[in-house]
Amino acid sequence: MKKRKKLWIVDFGEALTKIVVSAITETGQIQIKDIRIEKTPDLVWGEGDPENKLKVGGFLRALLKGYRRKDEVMLLINHKEMMVAAFTFPMMTLTEVEDAVYWQMQLLTAENLEHWRIDFVAREHTEWFECLGMDEKKLDVLGVGVEKERLSWYSRIFKKSGCSLQFIVPQFYTFASLVNLEVKQATLMIDMGKTCTRLFYYYGDSLIENHRLELENGWDGEIYLQQIIKAAEQIFMSPLKGEIAGKTGNIYLMGGESLHAGVLEYLTKWMPKEIQPSYSLFDEKEELIFSRQMSKAELCLLTPCLCGLIKWVQVDRTGGLYEA
């Protein structure tokens, strides 16, 4: 019997590196073959050129054990230097959208964008003006910018570990795979990491806003949680979004730091809307088949990887993804 190629989703995080190995069954379901969660070596993200640190290659080679040349690998990336911005444009051609996105992204930085890879996702939407009895079509556009040298480094370091990357994808791009596309709802994803918390606001499957809250020196746990609550309320409960969020909106919590005792309970107590753990979303995902019973902590940590798998089978593999 011919062996099916495996799909590897790698979340190369600052604190933890997570990998999910899977295969697509004949019925189109995703069979989880293996999971790997390991502490990321400190030297990977330390000062200096990480490519010269031998620990990186050895670390990845051990985690990628079992990789075969025919397998496909997607790397999920997230770092504070990545530029992300949402725009609304009038209807225009693809070339016009490319020019408009490049122009808008250039306004976000003083750096030369010739050294950056700029990509975007555009979706059409129609605004209905009841008072005028007319509608107007527009484009919701999400622009993403990543330094080309950083993308090249990822490709080189995986190649030196004996693995070929097929795709390099912004981590947040995969989270939209969890939303119910049949309901145009607001969704806030709160991802609590080792040094920062990221907040992603989606309407439908479109990312509208993204914020990064750094963990500052001197903050105790309660102050940090209060800052998260304040940021979430500003994004999700503002007068402009409150009506939409209040009717069908949901707030989900993920990330390793969210697993500490009392964190979910504290945030739920102080937020005017219930917060659900991200692992609860996978109860409804029948396309995922696990080889064993997964703990809530594992599902929480692996949320980006599992979202990446679902997204992989949802979209054309040449559209909306960074080619490595």
Side-chain angles (χ1 to χ4, degrees):
M1 181 176 178
K2 184 179 179 181
K3 290 186 178 180
R4 292 189 178 92
K5 66 181 178 183
K6 291 180 291 187
L7 307 178
W8 298 65
I9 308 293
V10 183
D11 181 8
F12 200 10
E14 181 176 349
L16 295 172
T17 295
K18 289 84 68 178
I19 295 180
V20 172
V21 187
S22 67
I24 307 301
T25 69
E26 294 179 353
T27 60
Q29 292 180 297
I30 305 170
Q31 177 71 57
I32 307 299
K33 297 290 188 180
D34 193 12
I35 66 168
R36 297 163 193 185
I37 303 174
E38 296 290 342
K39 185 179 184 302
T40 305
D42 294 335
L43 288 178
V44 172
W45 307 111
E47 295 296 328
D49 183 5
E51 190 173 2
N52 294 328
K53 295 165 182 170
L54 297 179
K55 275 194 173 183
V56 182
F59 171 68
L60 285 177
R61 276 192 295 274
L63 285 182
L64 294 168
K65 185 177 180 181
Y67 166 82
R68 293 183 176 87
R69 186 173 299 179
K70 66 179 180 179
D71 295 345
E72 294 189 346
V73 183
M74 176 192 290
L75 172 66
L76 304 179
I77 60 171
N78 164 58
H79 51 83
K80 58 184 178 183
E81 291 85 7
M82 186 164 58
M83 292 191 297
V84 183
F87 314 106
T88 299
F89 296 147
M91 292 298 293
M92 56 179 67
T93 66
L94 178 61
T95 300
E96 290 172 334
V97 173
E98 290 176 348
D99 292 341
V101 170
Y102 189 91
W103 173 262
Q104 292 286 355
M105 298 295 281
Q106 181 64 80
L107 298 177
L108 298 178
T109 180
E111 297 185 32
N112 185 353
L113 286 191
E114 291 297 321
H115 303 301
W116 290 68
R117 169 72 182 270
I118 305 298
D119 207 346
F120 67 90
V121 177
R123 293 181 177 85
E124 179 181 321
H125 81 261
T126 300
E127 289 188 352
W128 174 254
F129 298 94
E130 186 175 355
C131 58
L132 300 178
M134 60 180 289
D135 57 19
E136 180 182 359
K137 291 185 177 180
K138 294 185 178 182
L139 288 175
D140 286 328
V141 181
L142 179 67
V144 182
V146 184
E147 289 179 299
K148 293 179 180 177
E149 178 55 35
R150 182 175 291 275
L151 294 175
S152 297
W153 177 78
Y154 284 128
S155 295
R156 291 196 303 270
I157 201 65
F158 272 80
K159 187 175 181 179
K160 289 185 177 182
S161 302
C163 170
S164 177
L165 287 176
Q166 275 67 49
F167 300 105
I168 302 176
V169 180
Q171 190 186 77
F172 64 81
Y173 176 73
T174 69
F175 292 155
S177 64
L178 293 177
V179 303
N180 183 357
L181 298 181
E182 296 178 359
V183 179
K184 201 69 171 178
Q185 65 181 15
T187 303
L188 180 64
M189 308 289 288
I190 303 176
D191 184 9
M192 294 184 63
K194 181 179 180 181
T195 60
C196 72
T197 290
R198 298 174 302 147
L199 300 99
F200 304 105
Y201 175 73
Y202 296 85
Y203 187 59
D205 62 344
S206 297
L207 180 65
I208 306 300
E209 295 183 37
N210 71 99
H211 298 265
R212 188 181 185 99
L213 178 63
E214 301 290 341
L215 177 56
E216 298 184 6
N217 293 330
W219 281 4
D220 61 23
E222 185 170 7
I223 292 177
Y224 189 42
L225 292 177
Q226 283 293 332
Q227 293 297 318
I228 294 173
I229 293 169
K230 181 178 179 181
E233 289 179 338
Q234 289 175 343
I235 298 169
F236 205 61
M237 297 297 179
S238 71
L240 294 177
K241 305 186 185 78
E243 184 177 354
I244 296 175
K247 289 181 177 179
T248 61
N250 293 299
I251 303 178
Y252 297 103
L253 184 65
M254 70 175 71
E257 295 303 299
S258 71
L259 295 172
H260 291 300
V263 169
L264 177 61
E265 292 75 12
Y266 185 93
L267 294 176
T268 300
K269 176 182 177 181
W270 289 95
M271 284 289 289
K273 191 171 183 62
E274 181 184 3
I275 300 177
Q276 303 176 59
S278 63
Y279 53 75
S280 64
L281 290 165
F282 298 109
D283 294 338
E284 304 173 1
K285 294 298 178 180
E286 297 180 354
E287 61 264 54
L288 292 173
I289 304 174
F290 296 97
S291 58
R292 62 172 176 82
Q293 184 69 33
M294 302 286 289
S295 69
K296 294 178 179 179
E298 287 175 321
L299 288 174
C300 179
L301 293 173
L302 294 170
T303 292
C305 294
L306 298 174
C307 290
L309 280 174
I310 297 171
K311 194 70 173 179
W312 197 325
V313 299
Q314 283 181 346
V315 302
D316 180 356
R317 296 183 185 181
T318 61
L321 303 177
Y322 282 111
E323 292 186 10

